[in-house]
Amino acid sequence: MQALVALPVLLPMLGAALSVLVSRRASLQRAIGVVMLVAVSVVAAVLLVAADAHGPVVAELGGWPAPMGIVLVADRLSALLLLISTLVTLAVLVYAIDQRIADYGRETASTTFHPIFLLLSTGVSLAYLTGDLFTLFVAFEVMLASSYVLITRRTTAARIRSSMTYVIVSLTSSLLFLTAVALVYAAAGTVNLADLAGRVDQLPPGLVTVLGLLLVVVFGIKAAMVPLHFWLPDSYPNAPAPVTALFAGLLTKVGIYALLRTQTLVFPQDHPSTLLLVIAAVTMVVGALGAVAQDDLNRLLSFLLVSHIGFMLFGLAVYTPSGFAGTALYVVHHITVQATLFLVSGLITRRTGTVSIQQMGGLARTAPRLAVLFAIPAITLAGLPPTSGFVAKLALLRAGAEAGLGTGVVAAFVVSASLLTLYAVTRVWVRVFWGAPKDPLSDDDPNDELVVGTARSARGMYVGASSLVVVSILIALFAGPLSAVTGRAGEDLQTRDDYRVAVLGPDVEPGGPGAQPVAAVPDGTGADGTGADGTAMAPATAPEVTP
């Protein structure tokens, strides 16, 4: 079972290498990607069952035990998000494969798309499973390098320039992250998350606050929370539909996961966070208002993505097991729905030849399947009952009501943002799907993969989008068992004991003498004259030297 924990990282990496080797055989290249992601999905499902039944599953890489060595940890939260993320990645790959077949023919292979796509999956898996901050930094760098290649493939020079915003902001975030890792190590003497859970409590409160806020900024940039969101609406719409769907579904959620993991395990609180509550409320409203003002369909969906990041931050800010559980449930729901909407947006723009909502119309008559594929995730995102979005928002509202008045005020912002989301998607429905049908516009640049206007979409593209709609429906149908799993995950995040014992072992006390910060001079005496265990020590004397 421990060996399985490494497979979600190793399999996509191996698939990327094999994909390069067979880059001239298109069918084999496609098969490798699909097979690897199916295998990762099966492994993730097994890990979820094992973690839910027996606790976290830990793999010590290279045989080095924690906290000295690198560990991969699959607990309820990481295994659940790994499973749903891999399923979404698989559906997006099916969509992308048939889109390329429709555009370039069945025999045209790709030397970059499939390997980089699988490397991005590797980075996502590593981010969910890693047990230390530095490896999490490495995971983000793998995702950054892969995403930069994907976001600039087969697009225009102007769009590449706008995508540079994404790269510059991501590199800045990475620099801040590396600085934070260095500061944490300097202060606590470790970057292992389970070990930090025992050591950080012994640091000065002011230093702990600074380190916690620095990581909030780093992961807040990754998650696109307001006011650190400005890069997302300008970057995501510039990529082809499969790439945008993958980014929207996964990359921002990895940032939310990193926030959830570090703020509960390393920097826990016993009361709601006023700062995070304010940020959550502002993120919800600013994103929703930005969406209402858009005419570009992809930019509208991008602003809705920003808005719903606020919902996830709200559950974290409550700092209760029910709040954590609500955030986990909302992440599962949103990964699926947001990716679906961007895939459907790709189908719409391929048919109409434009991303302008004003220039579309009548698709309910000419493309009824497309209308259904948009309607279901749209009402799910708005949170209408009995969809998965309604179940997830209800869990967040209940957590806010239980936590007190301040969170109840922010819960009102949840309702307001949901109504604005409903208005935004309704406006899209009215202008895009109702009215008289309009002829597709001609494609200004046939060499890119953004807007086609040919009214041609391969069957596999509909299969990829439809499969995610089915997953969203299944989340609503099995909301009871899924809520039970996220509820237990929320309890795990609150107590932290299972995670720490699984990583450090039953004989290691995370807060004991072995977990003291490294702040001693070579003779073992601290700078303040105390020993490693905090007790006073006699001054060190030089050893006797006999002539």
Side-chain angles (χ1 to χ4, degrees), residues 65-360:
M68 296 300 296
I70 297 174
V71 293
L72 300 180
V73 187
D75 64 349
R76 291 186 177 98
L77 177 63
S78 58
L80 176 62
L81 296 187
L82 176 63
L83 175 60
I84 193 68
S85 297
T86 307
L87 291 176
V88 169
T89 305
L90 178 59
V92 172
L93 181 59
V94 172
Y95 181 103
I97 286 174
D98 271 55
Q99 175 178 302
R100 290 185 58 81
I101 290 175
D103 291 343
Y104 307 113
R106 187 169 296 275
E107 300 303 321
T108 303
S110 171
T111 56
T112 58
F113 178 79
H114 289 278
I116 299 300
F117 191 93
L118 290 174
L119 279 179
L120 182 63
S121 177
T122 299
V124 171
S125 299
L126 182 60
Y128 286 140
L129 296 175
T130 182
D132 68 87
L133 280 178
F134 185 76
T135 309
L136 182 60
F137 166 77
V138 173
F140 276 117
E141 292 307 291
V142 172
M143 289 188 290
L144 171 61
S146 304
S147 60
Y148 177 61
V149 175
L150 292 176
I151 206 171
T152 55
R153 287 186 71 258
R154 289 192 171 273
T155 185
T156 62
R159 292 179 183 271
I160 290 178
R161 283 193 294 270
S162 63
S163 299
M164 288 300 295
T165 302
Y166 166 77
V167 178
I168 293 172
V169 171
S170 296
L171 289 175
T172 303
S173 174
S174 297
L175 181 61
L176 289 176
F177 193 6
L178 190 59
T179 303
V181 172
L183 292 175
V184 168
Y185 185 77
T190 183
V191 292
N192 181 277
L193 293 174
D195 201 22
L196 282 171
R199 297 194 182 205
V200 166
D201 294 340
Q202 303 166 17
L203 299 177
L207 178 59
V208 173
T209 301
V210 170
L211 294 176
L213 288 177
L214 183 56
L215 288 179
V216 167
V217 172
V218 169
F219 299 135
I221 295 174
K222 304 290 187 183
M225 71 181 188
V226 174
L228 307 173
H229 70 292
F230 57 90
W231 57 270
L232 191 148
D234 291 330
S235 304
Y236 280 16
N238 294 322
V243 175
T244 305
L246 192 65
F247 288 6
L250 301 187
L251 298 192
T252 52
K253 310 312 180 300
V254 174
I256 290 293
Y257 168 80
L259 271 174
L260 194 58
R261 179 65 73 189
T262 56
Q263 295 302 310
T264 57
L265 185 60
V266 183
F267 306 101
Q269 292 186 188
D270 56 2
H271 56 83
S273 169
T274 303
L275 175 63
L276 286 180
L277 285 173
V278 172
I279 292 175
V282 173
T283 301
M284 293 179 206
V285 175
V286 169
L289 291 176
V292 170
Q294 300 303 312
D295 178 60
D296 185 311
L297 179 58
N298 288 330
R299 285 182 61 85
L300 182 148
L301 294 176
S302 297
F303 273 102
L304 287 181
L305 169 60
V306 171
S307 175
H308 287 254
I309 292 298
F311 289 70
M312 306 169 209
L313 291 174
F314 172 58
L316 170 61
V318 171
Y319 271 100
T320 63
S322 58
F324 303 148
T327 293
L329 185 60
Y330 203 90
V331 170
V332 171
H333 138 77
H334 198 261
I335 286 175
T336 307
V337 172
Q338 196 72 48
T340 308
L341 284 172
F342 274 106
L343 291 183
V344 174
S345 173
L347 292 171
I348 292 173
T349 56
R350 283 178 69 86
R351 190 169 192 93
T352 61
T354 180
V355 293
S356 172
I357 297 173
Q358 297 285 356
Q359 297 179 341
M360 303 178 189

